[in-house]
Amino acid sequence: MMEGILLGLDRVLQPDNLIMIPLGLIVGTIIGAFPGMGASFAIIIMIPLTYWMRPEQALIFLTNVGGSAEFGGSIPAILMHVPGTPGSTATCWDGYPMTKKGEAARALGISLFASGMGGLFGAIILLLLSPPIASFALKFSYPEMFLIALLGITLIGSATGKLVKAFLAGCLGLLVATIGSDPISAVPRFTFGIVDLYDGIHFVVALIGLFGFSEMLFLLKRKHIVSSESAFKGTFKDLLVGVKDVIKRPLLFLRVSSMGTVLGATPGIGPAITNIVAYNMAVSSSKEPHKFGTGIPEGVLAPEATNNATQAGALIPAFTLGIPGSGMTAALLGGLMLHGLVPGPMLFKNQPEVVYSVMLAFLIGNPLMILLLLSIQKQVVKIVLVPSKILIPVTLLLIIIGAYGIKNSWFDVGLMILFGILGYYMRTYEYPVQAFVLPLILGSIIEEGFRKGLMLGHGDPMIFFTRPLTIALWILIIASIVIPYVIRKKYGKSESKMMDKSGGKDAS
């Protein structure tokens, strides 16, 4: 391994390869900031530009495009409540409230530093522990995938505190997820004869509508995102405050980064899932879960630290086994094969300099992203001072382009608007939108995992309870329900005591 690392270091430090790192970071951040684009889209549209490059040069560029696109998605998530990528969904929930409090620069500082350090953490794990983590991830079969998805839903339901509304929203999300073709028999269901629904509803279309379009409806009532310039802080010092917020919370950072790396190494579990799981891990382990959603640093740190760690973890099965761990790595494998390279164990043997140069470039790229983008972020956050009469039409144009570009379909634009109206009323009547989103994303994994798990067990449901990994996952599912309940109960008692002593709600 050391020989491969030295060969890779020699390649990545060549000037024409080294310049690909900052170039990829800038391009990826810009593309990721456009709602609906995402890391995989960024790589796909950049692949044709790599025809003339050497294999390692192309992969260094594409890997950093994908990694920085994940951070880029946090910019509209924080500033406009529009997830730029599926992995920035949970970032909206506390990032945008921080913006409305005049702390946009601080939130972006948290996002940038957490993303960069999370990616660095994942890159180190990728470099040192690829074979054992990939072997562990291969032990996950359909029963385990079903329970992982179930764990995600129990986390979101128990963390919101509004169990009845979360349950209703979750059921609606699962119902919407069943629209399309049956994953086993391919028979269309709930499509009502509409051909555009045969492939189901793309969850990115739903995300753009639920968060982006609905926020534009709320923004119609305000002149700016923040109430006034006096409420806005966008100095370099405020960005550094966000950096310090991450440094002050090392345990949370390590927990969510570790989770992101391990789940990222599991095929099919990408940032769209892990960012929400990380957010709810932060809620479940917090002593003050009621503050989440009001604009606190932990709510931005958790999903952002997880995203790039997940992408680093997803590179593990992609390189070692040829199995894409996420949409980004699936696109990256396309670029890999375009240059005549075959992913898998033989790649380490036949072209170690290529695979290790990419790993090292990803490792170098993440801290470089922090330094490069920290210098320009204070200009970016000034978007919050743009008047609503300008911001709304520009954002709506980007939202429509993002929704249309997913499948080049105006039907998707119509769906996005419908989901936007749904999101507006869900937020108005305090139904947790995240409880709707996660089942929508996990619906196919839940159904396929359950049905194929039963097939694997020849119809015996005990296959979900008797395997070692399923037992461990059931323990986590139970803990995800019990622990938040205990924390809320304890907090509720302490809050009641405070109210009794102070004589009312306002004091508390």
Side-chain angles (χ1 to χ4, degrees):
M1 187 179 77
M2 282 304 302
E3 184 180 355
I5 291 175
L6 292 174
L7 286 171
L9 189 62
D10 179 65
R11 289 291 183 94
V12 80
L13 291 179
Q14 292 178 13
D16 56 343
N17 287 340
L18 199 60
I19 194 64
M20 290 295 119
I21 299 177
L23 183 61
L25 293 173
I26 294 170
V27 170
T29 302
I30 293 171
I31 296 175
F34 283 88
M37 299 303 183
S40 56
F41 180 85
I43 289 176
I44 288 168
I45 63 173
M46 287 293 111
I47 282 177
L49 300 181
T50 67
Y51 288 157
W52 56 273
M53 298 181 186
R54 295 191 308 276
E56 74 273 9
Q57 191 177 30
L59 292 172
I60 287 170
F61 173 70
L62 293 175
T63 303
N64 281 283
V65 165
S68 59
E70 282 300 332
F71 162 72
S74 71
I75 296 174
I78 290 170
L79 300 184
M80 295 178 286
H81 204 259
V82 181
T85 64
S88 58
T89 301
T91 307
C92 294
W93 301 337
D94 276 277
Y96 188 69
M98 290 184 73
T99 293
K100 292 198 289 186
K101 292 193 296 185
E103 297 180 334
R106 181 185 180 188
L108 282 168
I110 295 169
S111 170
L112 176 58
F113 193 68
S115 292
M117 295 308 294
L120 179 64
F121 178 89
I124 294 171
I125 301 299
L126 168 68
L127 191 65
L128 301 179
L129 301 177
S130 291
I133 291 182
S135 299
F136 176 74
L138 275 182
K139 295 179 181 179
F140 282 72
S141 187
Y142 294 111
E144 288 79 15
M145 294 298 293
F146 166 73
L147 290 174
I148 285 178
L150 187 63
L151 173 62
I153 290 178
T154 57
L155 278 169
I156 199 79
S158 59
T160 58
K162 302 172 182 178
L163 294 180
V164 176
K165 289 186 175 181
F167 175 76
L168 292 174
C171 288
L172 182 60
L174 281 174
L175 183 64
V176 173
T178 62
I179 296 173
S181 299
D182 185 287
I184 307 296
S185 64
V187 175
R189 58 190 184 185
F190 306 117
T191 59
F192 307 102
I194 301 173
V195 177
D196 294 278
L197 290 176
Y198 280 16
D199 290 332
I201 294 175
H202 200 292
F203 68 87
V204 174
V205 173
L207 289 180
I208 295 173
L210 287 166
F211 294 100
F213 191 85
S214 67
E215 186 55 36
M216 293 304 103
L217 296 178
F218 281 106
L219 196 56
L220 287 170
K221 304 173 184 177
R222 302 195 302 272
K223 292 184 177 180
H224 299 84
I225 294 177
V226 294
S227 56
S228 65
E229 287 202 27
S230 61
F232 171 73
K233 296 180 181 179
T235 66
F236 186 75
K237 183 179 179 181
D238 295 310
L239 287 167
L240 294 181
V241 171
V243 172
K244 292 177 182 177
D245 284 328
V246 179
I247 296 173
K248 290 177 181 177
R249 296 162 175 84
L251 293 180
L252 176 60
F253 171 81
L254 288 173
R255 277 200 304 271
V256 296
S257 298
S258 301
M259 179 276 296
T261 305
V262 173
L263 287 187
T266 306
I269 307 293
I273 296 172
T274 56
N275 83 106
I276 299 176
V277 174
Y279 184 89
N280 288 287
M281 280 181 65
V283 176
S284 301
S285 61
S286 174
K287 294 179 180 178
E288 298 177 311
H290 61 290
K291 289 187 177 181
F292 281 81
T294 63
I296 61 173
E298 291 89 341
V300 179
L301 189 164
E304 287 300 305
T306 305
N307 286 344
N308 280 28
T310 299
Q311 296 292 27
L315 290 171
I316 295 172
F319 284 144
T320 59
L321 304 167
I323 301 172
S326 67
M328 186 199 93
T329 51
L332 192 64
L333 288 183
L336 191 76
M337 290 185 282
L338 179 71
H339 288 273
L341 301 174
V342 180
M346 296 304 293
L347 184 64
F348 284 82
K349 182 179 179 180
N350 297 333
Q351 287 98 9
E353 70 282 357
V354 173
V355 67
Y356 280 108
S357 65
V358 175
M359 291 181 182
L360 288 166
F362 196 72
L363 189 148
I364 295 169
N366 279 281
L368 182 61
M369 179 177 73
I370 297 173
L371 298 174
L372 185 65
L373 299 179
L374 198 61
S375 61
I376 62 173
Q377 288 294 33
K378 66 178 182 178
Q379 302 302 322
V380 175
V381 298
K382 291 184 179 179
I383 193 173
V384 300
L385 297 180
V386 176
S388 295
K389 62 182 180 181
I390 297 175
L391 185 63
I392 290 174
V394 171
T395 304
L396 283 177
L397 178 62
L398 294 176
I399 286 172
I400 290 170
I401 292 173
Y404 177 81
I406 293 168
K407 292 189 291 187
N408 295 327
S409 170
W410 286 109
F411 184 81
D412 282 346
V413 176
L415 283 177
M416 180 272 293
I417 294 172
L418 288 177
F419 278 109
I421 296 170
L422 174 65
Y424 177 83
Y425 282 105
M426 287 184 71
R427 292 167 63 187
T428 299
Y429 293 102
E430 298 184 347
Y431 282 83
V433 178
Q434 58 266 42
F436 174 87
V437 168
L438 193 58
L440 179 63
I441 295 173
L442 295 176
S444 60
I445 297 176
I446 290 174
E447 182 177 7
E448 189 174 357
F450 180 73
R451 293 174 65 181
K452 289 187 176 180
L454 283 176
M455 292 168 65
L456 189 66
H458 304 287
D460 185 0
M462 291 307 295
I463 192 172
F464 296 101
F465 301 94
T466 54
R467 293 155 67 101
L469 284 175
T470 59
I471 294 171
L473 288 169
W474 276 116
I475 293 172
L476 289 175
I477 288 170
I478 295 169
S480 73
I481 298 171
V482 173
I483 292 175
Y485 172 78
V486 172
I487 291 174
R488 281 199 305 272
K489 189 175 181 180
K490 182 179 179 181
Y491 167 75
K493 288 181 178 179
S494 61
E495 184 182 42
S496 298
K497 290 178 181 178
M498 289 175 63
M499 291 174 64
D500 290 339
K501 290 178 180 179
S502 59
K505 283 186 178 181
D506 294 338
S508 64

